[in-house]
Amino acid sequence: MALLEVRNLRTTFLTEDGLVTAVNGLSYAIDAGSTLGIVGESGSGKSVNALSIMRLIQRPGKIESGEIRLNGENLLTKSENEMRHIRGNEIAMIFQDPMTSLNPVLTVGEQISEAIQLHLGYNRHDAMTKTIDMLRLVRISVPERRVKDYPHQFSGGMRQRVMIAMALSCEPKVLIADEPTTALDVTIQAQILELMNEMQSRTGAAIILITHDLGVVAEVCENVLVMYGGNMVEYGTAEQIFDRPKMPYTQGLLTSLPRLDATQPERLVPIKGQPPNLLRLPPGCAFAPRCAFRMPICDEPVPLYDFKDGHVARCYLYDERAAGQRPIEVETAPRVSLSEVAATPQELAEKR
C-alpha cells in the first residue's frame, strides 16, 4: 500500500463569474522514501492539489469529492482538530514564499519551537534545544544566536532553510515542497536540493516536489506527474517522461527547454496559445485547442492509456479509433533526452 494516495480529487472555487474547477478528478500515489515531481504551467492545479492534501483550502474554495489517504486513512473525513495534529506532524509543507509564510513579529526560534511543543509535547527549553539542532542541521551558522533573529534578518536562501527546518522538525512522513527553489540563485538552489535529499535519506520521508524547473525534476525525482487543466495528463518515471514522452503537452514542455548540449544558440519552441479557462473547461482534452495533433475524437472525454511499467498518458493519439483521424505521425514528435535536462544547478550555472 502506498504511503499517500490521492483518488479522484476535485477542488473548486465559487467565484462571481462561476465555478472554477482547479483540480479535476486527480489521482496518484507516492511511496515512502520516494520523490514525486509535479510539473505544469501556472494555473494547472499544482499548488491547489498540495493545499487540498493539507486541508488548507479556504472559502470560497471547497474540496467537493475524492479521497486523500495517508496510510490508508482518508484525511477528508478527519475533523479540524485531528488535522491540526496531522499537519506538521505527519504531513508538512514548505510554502512557495517563505517571507509570507513566516510570522514577521516572532523570532524564527519561537516559530519552530512552537511547532515542536505542539506536536511532540516538548517543554519550552527542550523545544528550543531541538530548534537549535534543526537550524544547525540545515547549515545555518551560529544557530544559538540566530534563533533570536526575525525573518527579515535572513536572506531568501536562509529563510528557505528555516522553512525546511520547521517542516522537518517533527520528522513528517510526507513533505510537500511548493517551488522551494524559486527566486534563489543556482548555488543556493543546489544547497536547498541537497539538503532536502539528505533529510529524506535520514528520515525516509516521501517528498512531493512542485516546480516549473524540469531540470530540477530530472535531477532529483524518481517519478513525474504532468498536470494540465487541473488533472494528470501523463505520469511515469523521470526516464520515461524525459526520454519517451507520450502526451503532446509534455513534449511541448520539454521542447521549450534550453538544451545543455547545444553547440550554438537555438530558438526555444514555446507552446502556442494559453492555458485553459478553468471556468469553462472543454468537454474532452483540455489541451486540444493548443495541440498540433488535434482530432475530432479529442472532443470526447479522454481516458488514461497504459504504456506499461507505470507509464500512463491521457491522449487519443494512442487509441485505435483515432487511426483514421491522425493528422501527424506520432513518431515525428520531438524528443528530449533525460541526459540533456538532468543537470545540477551548479552545472547549469557553468553553462551560463
Side-chain angles (χ1 to χ4, degrees):
M1 181 177 66
L3 174 61
L4 178 71
E5 292 181 88
V6 176
R7 302 177 182 174
N8 298 313
L9 179 65
R10 178 180 169 86
T11 303
T12 61
F13 291 83
L14 184 61
T15 70
E16 293 180 355
D17 297 322
L19 193 67
V20 173
T21 305
V23 174
N24 189 24
L26 182 64
S27 297
Y28 63 91
I30 182 171
D31 296 324
S34 64
T35 302
L36 171 66
I38 300 183
V39 301
E41 293 170 291
S42 297
S44 61
K46 306 184 300 297
S47 295
V48 174
N49 160 56
L51 293 173
S52 298
I53 294 173
M54 297 292 290
R55 286 272 306 275
L56 291 175
I57 298 295
Q58 302 291 327
R59 290 186 178 182
K62 179 183 179 182
I63 300 175
E64 286 200 351
S65 60
E67 296 180 352
I68 301 171
R69 293 191 170 272
L70 179 65
N71 283 328
E73 295 188 14
N74 188 2
L75 300 184
L76 299 186
T77 64
K78 301 291 184 182
S79 67
E80 183 56 31
N81 284 337
E82 289 174 315
M83 282 306 301
R84 287 195 189 99
H85 175 75
I86 292 171
R87 291 189 203 107
N89 192 33
E90 297 189 55
I91 303 179
M93 185 168 176
I94 303 171
F95 291 92
Q96 189 167 348
D97 185 355
M99 195 60 200
T100 58
S101 302
L102 294 169
N103 191 326
V105 299
L106 295 177
T107 66
V108 297
E110 290 172 326
Q111 295 182 62
I112 298 174
S113 64
E114 180 182 26
I116 295 171
Q117 291 177 70
L118 176 64
H119 294 297
L120 300 183
Y122 283 32
N123 61 41
R124 188 170 183 176
H125 178 268
D126 290 344
M128 188 58 69
T129 299
K130 184 174 177 63
T131 297
I132 293 171
D133 290 340
M134 291 303 300
L135 292 182
R136 183 177 294 111
L137 201 60
V138 297
R139 301 173 191 168
I140 291 180
S141 59
V142 200
E144 298 85 357
R145 178 175 62 81
R146 307 269 1 222
V147 290
K148 302 175 184 178
D149 288 344
Y150 292 86
H152 72 272
Q153 295 175 283
F154 289 77
S155 67
M158 289 295 108
R159 284 195 293 268
Q160 198 64 282
R161 291 167 188 261
V162 169
M163 290 295 297
I164 293 174
M166 184 181 298
L168 295 175
S169 60
C170 301
E171 299 193 356
K173 297 171 182 166
V174 179
L175 175 65
I176 303 173
D178 189 1
E179 301 280 5
T181 59
T182 296
L184 302 179
D185 65 62
V186 290
T187 303
I188 301 300
Q189 285 183 28
Q191 294 172 356
I192 294 297
L193 293 172
E194 182 183 1
L195 182 60
M196 290 174 58
N197 184 58
E198 289 178 3
M199 296 296 99
Q200 184 181 47
S201 299
R202 191 173 65 85
T203 65
I207 295 179
I208 298 175
L209 176 63
I210 299 170
T211 182
H212 288 90
D213 194 331
L214 292 173
V216 169
V217 169
E219 178 66 25
V220 303
C221 297
E222 293 93 351
N223 297 300
V224 182
L225 187 158
V226 183
M227 289 189 69
Y228 187 82
N231 207 346
M232 177 173 71
V233 294
E234 189 161 0
Y235 178 90
T237 64
E239 182 179 3
Q240 290 167 340
I241 296 297
F242 285 92
D243 291 353
R244 300 181 298 280
K246 300 297 183 181
M247 173 70 183
Y249 177 64
T250 308
Q251 296 166 4
L253 290 177
L254 294 174
T255 54
S256 66
L257 287 172
R259 296 174 59 126
L260 297 178
D261 62 345
T263 57
Q264 57 185 3
E266 295 181 354
R267 184 180 295 275
L268 299 182
V269 182
I271 301 174
K272 295 182 179 180
Q274 299 294 325
N277 184 344
L278 298 180
L279 284 167
R280 290 175 288 277
L281 285 171
C285 176
F287 185 62
R290 308 171 67 186
C291 184
F293 299 87
R294 184 176 184 176
M295 301 169 287
I297 196 174
C298 296
D299 292 331
E300 300 178 14
V302 191
L304 280 171
Y305 292 87
D306 191 347
F307 300 95
K308 298 181 180 179
D309 299 322
H311 189 187
V312 296
R314 198 179 298 276
C315 184
Y316 272 123
L317 282 172
Y318 308 96
D319 193 302
E320 293 180 356
R321 295 174 294 167
Q325 304 180 34
R326 191 170 299 161
I328 303 175
E329 284 299 320
V330 179
E331 294 307 315
T332 64
R335 296 291 188 267
V336 176
S337 170
L338 178 61
S339 62
E340 296 169 0
V341 183
T344 63
Q346 297 104 310
E347 292 171 326
L348 289 173
E350 291 171 2
K351 293 284 182 178
R352 295 174 179 174

